[in-house]
Amino acid sequence: MSSATPQPCGSWKHELQTAVTKPHALAFPMAGGPQDVDSVVRRYPMRVTPYFLSLIQQWEDPLGKQVLPNIQELTDTLPHDDPLHENRQSPVPGLIHRYPDRVLFLVSSECAVYCRYCLRKRLVGNPFVVTDQTREAALDYIKKTRSVREVVLSGGDPLLLETDTLNHLLEQLRCIPHIQVLRIHTRVPGVLPSRITDHLVSMLNRHHPLYVNIQFNHPNEITPQSTHACAKLADAGIPLGSQTVLLKGVNDDPEVMIRLMQKLLTLRIKPYYLHHPDPVRGTGHFRTEIACGLSIMEHLRGRVSGMGIPQYMIDLPGGGGKIPLVPESVLGEENGMLKVTGLHGKVYGYPGKA
Ligand SMILES: *Cc1c(COP(=O)(O)O)cnc(C)c1O
Ligand code: SF4
């Protein structure tokens, strides 16, 4: 990123300007050779904020894996870069309309970090994907589509827009009578917490009901800085949810997931979704088995407050939507008695008939 006006040190814009975008600039040993990772970032851009970098000790630790390029991004065998058919469910560029009552509005193509497992790997970091024109066309579509009650601002990351730009967008959405609820999907509080300024928060506070769902994938992402950023949002009366992506070698471990969900609750964040990673080209090395996700869900149940249990979601290829998967607990029925697996795997009978 470059800009004519230098920003004061410590501001979020200064942090973005000094974000690492080239693998050589990193101090720790690379996974793969220098040519390898260079070819990866030529295809899929790299960006890591100095703050997030300070939390990484090694290239392939749970935080490093999420944002540092890996040659496997170019060698996997997944054929599709848009398996969810987002492009086909896009009535105007930059807007995805899959469910009758809500739309996904891509308001920015930039993110504070570029996650290597991103489902929109095909789009993020490309400045031509979201423009003033696509935003205008999307607003027009939302205005004339009266079945839409909720707008989910996504991207890219909506919180990378200038505060005034985002304010203007939210104002325009708020002027549409059939729009009841606004929601922002962001990773910013966990990767660029300095962006959560008083100015931003007081602006967001003017657009209620506004929900913010924040991506957190590992307990090490919860630091004094990210905790403070989330507290500011919660203090402004913004209901907070989390989205976590199940990632091999990052959080595919019940103990890690339990710690993450417990910590999220202490930040006043209600865990919302645990996403099974989508089969997107370039992300195959992050995929685990569904059985692994179901087993994590089983471990969470009973070990973590019910408030801290997200729904485990798969997004069906071909545009079938997000569907929750639940560990099977009903084993069968015998003479009106259900056989149900209880805590710790013991089987109990339950009267299934009235
Ligand atoms: C995920 C998603 C939404 C939001 O779905 P919720 O289940 O309400 O969180 C909306 N539109 C599209 C296209 C999506 O992929
Ligand atoms: S912040 Fe979200 S949209 Fe941006 S790269 Fe990460 S997963 Fe993709």
Side-chain angles (χ1 to χ4, degrees):
M1 240 186 86
S2 65
S3 160
T5 42
Q7 299 296 325
C9 281
S11 81
W12 65 276
K13 286 187 198 164
H14 177 80
E15 245 210 85
L16 270 186
Q17 280 167 15
T18 53
V20 176
T21 56
K22 301 250 175 346
H24 316 283
L26 296 170
F28 25 76
M30 286 180 192
Q35 278 90 17
D36 283 355
V37 280
D38 269 351
S39 56
V40 175
V41 300
R42 270 199 298 275
R43 173 90 173 269
Y44 303 115
M46 167 183 182
R47 182 189 260 174
V48 189
T49 55
Y51 161 77
F52 201 72
L53 197 57
S54 75
L55 306 178
I56 299 174
Q57 261 95 53
Q58 284 170 22
W59 201 280
E60 298 210 89
D61 70 17
L63 272 51
K65 269 193 181 149
Q66 294 182 49
V67 295
L68 302 181
N70 188 306
I71 187 64
Q72 287 171 285
E73 292 172 54
L74 299 181
T75 58
D76 78 357
T77 52
L78 292 168
H80 302 295
D81 64 359
D82 179 22
L84 308 180
H85 289 182
E86 290 191 331
N87 291 346
R88 254 181 260 175
Q89 293 180 331
S90 183
V92 293
L95 183 135
I96 305 160
H97 193 180
R98 176 177 300 152
Y99 306 102
D101 66 318
R102 53 208 193 273
V103 291
L104 202 78
F105 183 1
L106 309 184
V107 298
S108 161
S109 43
E110 235 188 300
C111 303
V113 298
Y114 289 120
C115 312
R116 310 319 296 178
Y117 52 80
C118 180
L119 94 98
R120 300 207 184 95
K121 225 173 153 72
R122 70 189 191 281
L123 307 177
V124 292
N126 177 344
F128 302 105
V129 168
V130 175
T131 62
D132 289 344
Q133 285 73 31
T134 65
R135 288 199 293 248
E136 280 306 316
L139 277 167
D140 281 344
Y141 178 86
I142 296 167
K143 265 181 217 155
K144 65 170 210 256
T145 312
R146 303 193 46 186
S147 65
V148 177
R149 298 150 49 99
E150 176 176 350
V151 178
V152 182
L153 280 72
S154 182
D157 202 309
L159 296 189
L160 281 209
L161 293 177
E162 295 285 346
T163 304
D164 293 344
T165 311
L166 184 56
N167 181 42
H168 185 59
L169 264 178
L170 294 171
E171 261 169 6
Q172 285 172 289
L173 288 167
R174 273 280 161 250
C175 289
I176 304 173
H178 52 272
I179 298 305
Q180 299 172 342
V181 172
L182 300 175
R183 189 193 325 173
I184 290 177
H185 280 181
T186 179
R187 198 178 176 180
V188 155
V191 294
L192 182 65
S194 58
R195 171 67 185 106
I196 311 302
T197 59
D198 293 343
H199 180 53
L200 175 73
V201 170
S202 63
M203 181 280 282
L204 294 175
N205 194 13
R206 289 200 299 271
H207 298 288
H208 283 304
L210 170 78
Y211 289 71
V212 172
N213 275 359
I214 309 172
Q215 191 186 144
F216 279 108
N217 297 324
H218 192 276
N220 292 358
E221 294 164 32
I222 296 170
T223 64
Q225 292 94 323
S226 57
T227 300
H228 183 63
C230 292
K232 287 172 85 157
L233 293 168
D235 286 348
I238 299 170
L240 302 179
S242 69
Q243 313 217 118
T244 299
V245 188
L246 177 62
L247 299 167
K248 192 189 228 161
V250 173
N251 58 16
D252 58 338
D253 170 337
E255 293 309 317
V256 171
M257 206 61 92
I258 286 169
R259 270 197 296 139
L260 175 62
M261 297 307 152
Q262 288 170 336
K263 284 193 169 190
L264 289 172
L265 283 180
T266 68
L267 266 56
R268 288 181 273 171
I269 297 174
K270 165 78 188 82
Y272 179 58
Y273 282 167
L274 171 63
H275 294 278
H276 195 79
D278 298 306
V280 171
R281 177 165 36 194
T283 68
H285 55 297
F286 285 108
R287 287 173 61 77
T288 60
E289 286 167 23
I290 293 286
C292 166
L294 286 172
S295 146
I296 288 176
M297 291 304 292
E298 238 166 50
H299 277 89
L300 287 178
R301 175 61 55 194
R303 301 273 308 280
V304 173
S305 153
M307 296 269 300
I309 299 186
Q311 281 194 290
Y312 176 42
M313 307 299 280
I314 52 171
D315 212 332
L316 295 172
K322 291 190 191 73
I323 300 296
L325 297 185
V326 195
E328 208 59 71
S329 52
V330 177
L331 300 175
E333 188 178 345
E334 227 169 71
N335 306 325
M337 287 297 272
L338 289 184
K339 285 195 289 179
V340 185
T341 313
L343 294 179
H344 320 300
K346 193 172 159 212
V347 177
Y348 295 79
Y350 188 88
K353 292 233 166 78

